[in-house]
Amino acid sequence: MVTVNERKTTMVKPAEATPKRAIWLANLDLFFKTVQTPNVYFYRPNGASNFFDPSVLKEALSKALVPFYPVAGRLRHDDNGRPEIYCNAEGVVFIEAESASSIDDFDDFRPSLELQKLAPIIDCSGAISSHPLCMLQVTYFKCGGVALGVGMLHCVADGISAIHFVNTWCHMARGLDLAIPPFLDRTLLGPRKPPQHSFDHIEYQLPKLSKSQDNGDNFIVSQFKLPKEKVDKLKVKAKEDCNDTINYSTYEVLASHIWKCACIAIGYPDEEEIRLTTATEGRNRLQPPLPPGYFGNVIFTAAAAASAGDLKSKALGFATKKVHDTLARMDDEYLRSSIDFLEFYPYLLNGAHQARHDAKFNVLGITSWVRIPVYVADFGWGKPFYMGPTRIIFEGKAYILPNTVNDGSYIVAIGLKPKNMKLFEKLLCDV
């Protein structure tokens, strides 16, 4: 069992005076209002005497908070009761911790209760303005290695924006200039006037509780590696199944393979509809594309649906084409319609919808971090050898992660009930 002890907590504020103003939050930000996705970076010691010196980290952090000053703010309600970021420079929590354990005690680094000790969870139980928007934790292990845990409210930043902030922090620690300034005007993702949605948006329709699922065992989290040769084999199989001229992406094939395998492993009745939701990045799908460095949430939910019977009985290509067609639909008009849909149905912004992104509601969800530059976070002592989420909070939620070695293989982390995990592993890996 890994033990972690906090030894010092500091509130780090911007190094210079920053604008004191409110930042409007878009519907896409408020859709993730209650969500947190803490993650952790692991670093091996490089022999430097000042390896991850907290004074160096805190000084660099204070410099990074000057351009990224909203991160040092707090939430509040505007005159209409809508949450916004109040940029008051109250600061970011920086925790220094230590552990008598070794980095290698974490085995395969899959999301777990042990891993959660390394990245803070922001306590949002109090008043909206009472808690920070970001908490950071550096844990020093007896082996000399270090873990950097990042906890940030999702309404502040999506994955790409959060990584932009962390990588800027790294640049400041190495004495480099700001590479790409954050673009802070979120009104670019405001609804049209008047708002108009042109699609049914199945992704926002509340799913019903599956009649087939029990409330027995809690789910567990496992992590599997898919080597390049197996990924290539899956792509060939999907292409042959579809017998068309479309070049299906690696993500489309992997997502459909996970969808199909999970559906079989869980054992949904043939007549039930099973959704696959995928987090879809919209920065370059919107027209015109958003400015470089847009800081906020540009994550749209894409949802494919098929009967369990079809997913189980038909070839992989059936699911792959479903995923491909769903993602191809996510163009500027669909995304703008999605933003407007949230304007028409504001109850979707209260967090209840995320609670139904769960296998017991016939919803399987996939998030890919493959295209996010997670392995360039170098503070001056070398790049991380692993980065990933510390927890999975819903059954049926999966992450596709880049392998630490750039060899074309992928890591799949997923939460399923113990009785379903063995079959899922066999179906996923026996390609």
Side-chain angles (χ1 to χ4, degrees), residues 100-398:
S101 302
S102 169
I103 283 178
D104 294 328
D105 292 337
F106 289 95
D107 195 21
D108 62 358
F109 303 105
R110 69 182 180 275
S112 64
L113 291 174
E114 301 287 86
L115 215 59
Q116 289 177 42
K117 299 174 183 178
L118 304 178
I121 299 293
I122 299 170
D123 182 3
C124 299
S125 60
I128 190 173
S129 60
S130 66
H131 52 75
L133 305 183
C134 177
M135 297 180 68
L136 305 163
Q137 178 177 319
V138 179
T139 303
Y140 301 87
F141 294 93
K142 69 174 184 181
C143 62
V146 162
L148 169 64
V150 179
M152 185 181 294
L153 295 187
H154 208 317
C155 64
V156 176
D158 62 13
I160 287 179
S161 289
I163 293 293
H164 183 193
F165 168 66
V166 171
N167 290 345
T168 298
W169 179 18
C170 291
H171 289 166
M172 299 299 177
R174 288 155 51 200
L176 303 177
D177 293 331
L178 177 64
I180 301 174
F183 185 90
L184 302 178
D185 181 8
R186 304 189 184 201
T187 61
L188 293 183
L189 292 183
R192 292 172 290 194
K193 297 180 180 179
Q196 48 188 307
H197 64 87
S198 315
F199 303 90
D200 291 334
H201 291 288
I202 182 179
E203 64 270 24
Y204 294 136
Q205 296 173 16
L206 290 178
K208 297 179 180 179
L209 184 66
S210 172
K211 296 178 181 178
S212 65
Q213 296 304 295
D214 60 69
N215 293 317
D217 297 340
N218 292 327
F219 69 88
I220 60 172
V221 176
S222 295
Q223 194 158 280
F224 310 104
K225 181 179 178 181
L226 282 175
K228 181 179 185 301
E229 58 269 22
K230 291 191 176 183
V231 174
D232 291 342
K233 192 174 179 180
L234 284 170
K235 292 176 75 173
V236 170
K237 177 170 174 36
K239 179 75 172 175
E240 290 175 347
D241 292 343
C242 293
N243 192 27
D244 56 29
T245 59
I246 298 173
N247 290 318
Y248 295 100
S249 70
T250 300
Y251 175 74
E252 290 167 345
V253 173
L254 285 180
S256 58
H257 182 51
I258 294 168
W259 188 20
K260 180 178 174 70
C261 294
C263 181
I264 296 172
I266 292 171
Y268 289 115
D270 289 353
E271 68 275 9
E272 291 194 357
E273 180 184 84
I274 312 301
R275 284 189 210 171
L276 177 73
T277 63
T278 62
T280 305
E281 214 288 303
R283 283 168 173 79
N284 293 315
R285 292 176 181 265
L286 292 163
Q287 296 299 324
L290 292 179
Y294 180 93
F295 190 74
N297 283 275
V298 201
I299 297 298
F300 294 83
T301 303
S307 71
D310 283 345
L311 286 169
K312 290 188 288 186
S313 64
K314 293 187 177 181
L316 174 64
F318 168 79
T320 302
K321 191 165 192 327
K322 284 275 187 184
V323 173
H324 171 83
D325 290 348
T326 298
L327 294 176
R329 181 183 62 195
M330 303 289 282
D331 57 10
D332 180 74
E333 175 57 31
Y334 192 91
L335 300 189
R336 293 291 177 185
S337 174
S338 176
I339 293 170
D340 291 357
F341 193 91
L342 293 174
E343 188 73 7
F344 274 104
Y345 302 102
Y347 70 87
L348 292 168
L349 304 178
N350 66 9
H353 190 267
Q354 279 84 358
R356 294 197 177 198
H357 278 213
D358 192 299
K360 63 177 174 285
F361 290 99
N362 290 9
V363 178
L364 306 171
I366 296 179
T367 296
S368 172
W369 287 4
V370 170
R371 293 188 178 181
I372 301 177
V374 298
Y375 286 115
V376 299
D378 183 355
F379 289 89
W381 302 289
K383 297 178 180 179
F385 71 88
Y386 180 82
M387 186 274 193
T390 63
R391 64 177 186 169
I392 289 177
I393 60 174
F394 294 127
E395 181 188 358
K397 175 67 178 181

Side-chain angles (χ1 to χ4, degrees), residues 29-60:
D29 300 312
L30 296 181
F31 186 71
F32 296 106
K33 182 175 63 177
T34 61
V35 176
Q36 297 182 54
T37 309
N39 55 76
V40 64
Y41 299 77
F42 284 97
Y43 297 83
R44 299 283 187 194
N46 72 342
S49 59
N50 69 337
F51 185 67
F52 274 82
D53 185 327
S55 63
V56 173
L57 294 173
K58 286 186 282 190
E59 181 182 358

